[in-house]
Amino acid sequence: MTDQSPPRRRGGQLKTETITMAHGGGGKAMRDLIDDVFITAFDNPETGDMEDQARLDPSPHLAEGGRLAFTTDGFVVDPLFFPGGNIGDLAVNGTVNDLAVGGAKALWLSCAMVIEEGLSVDILRTVAATMRRAADRAGVRIVTGDTKVVDRGAADKLFITTAGIGVIPPGRDLAARHVRPGDVALVNGTLGDHGAAILNARGDMALDSPVESDCAPLNALMEAVLAAAPGTRCARDATRGGLASALNEIAQASGCGIDLEETALPLRPEVRGCCEILGLDPLYLANEGTLVLFAPADQAEAALAAMRGVPEGRGACAIGQAVSAHPEQVVLKTLFGGGRRVDMLAGEQLPRIC
């Protein structure tokens, strides 16, 4: 097991208020940036030796027959700060959730940052501190990373790439190919909140009741669901491309059709209203704390109850089911009794969402 003695903090301090090219040059300025901002925020036993890699022992976490899960994701968002979070929350929660929806228990994250020359050091400190809080909430550790600085104009303030490692307990095998006709589609909360929050933060609309991003870790929710409904087939977090794209991926992988009930879709009035005004479809708006999962019909109520028992799932509801009709297609049953095919998102509704 990794040595649990207190990490050794470094002593460097930044002398400037903004990031310069010297902070990416590999010398003292870069060392001071890492010490002052990142080691201060992420310090833990696994980072204590400050080698070029984290040295991790998975054996206490990996039961016989278990598997490692490994994922990576890049995060870009404009603006960096928005109602309900910032790019740091996205980077941690997005990677934790990619592991969680596959049934993995997230353990460790890496963090690589591409920083534009001129970015405020205070902004970077705030993002790093947010990442630490998000990691603590999700029960994971940020154990290694990398920093690059690029010229002004070569990036848009800050890009973050995180990778995550987790363990899948023996016997779990969540995959879209397992979905069968009759399985019930469940979501844990309202749709499109993140996309609407970003749109409003850009000043493109003036909502009387601003929508906050749903950015949150979903690992505790998934563990609760799998304990209550062990037959759960699969789950996907409905990030870029929204619910519609996630459901199309599941339909294509399983060969099933999917029927959605328009009356069952959980949408905030503010999100519904702005979509109507701007001509957007909320099914394609990004989410950062909303997932869709499929459970056998006889376990759907247990899965719903488990979701509603954790804060991130209080708005959980059933929205449709897998069917044998129209294989590999998603169809929305409208308020008027008709059916509308919901295709995979083509292009982008909104740029730089997550």
Side-chain angles (χ1 to χ4, degrees), residues 171-187:
R172 283 190 188 174
D173 185 22
L174 299 182
R177 67 179 183 276
H178 297 321
V179 172
R180 297 291 181 267
D183 291 346
V184 180
L186 312 174
V187 294

Side-chain angles (χ1 to χ4, degrees), residues 176-183 247-248 250-259 294 321-330:
R177 67 179 183 276
H178 297 321
V179 172
R180 297 291 181 267
D183 291 346
L247 290 176
N248 271 279
I250 293 170
Q252 291 166 17
S254 66
C256 294
I258 297 174
D259 282 345
F294 282 78
Q321 64 178 347
V323 296
S324 56
H326 53 82
E328 300 188 17
Q329 295 181 5
V330 180

Side-chain angles (χ1 to χ4, degrees), residues 129-183:
T130 300
M131 294 182 72
R132 175 58 184 262
R133 289 194 297 271
D136 288 346
R137 178 182 174 187
V140 300
R141 283 178 169 166
I142 300 170
V143 296
T144 190
D146 186 51
T147 303
K148 293 291 185 293
V149 178
V150 296
D151 292 325
R152 292 177 187 268
D156 190 357
K157 299 181 285 294
L158 179 65
F159 301 157
I160 301 178
T161 297
T162 45
I165 296 175
V167 294
I168 302 174
R172 283 190 188 174
D173 185 22
L174 299 182
R177 67 179 183 276
H178 297 321
V179 172
R180 297 291 181 267
D183 291 346

Side-chain angles (χ1 to χ4, degrees), residues 213-230:
S213 170
D214 61 339
C215 187
L218 299 175
N219 48 344
L221 181 143
M222 279 300 300
E223 289 300 314
V225 167
L226 292 171

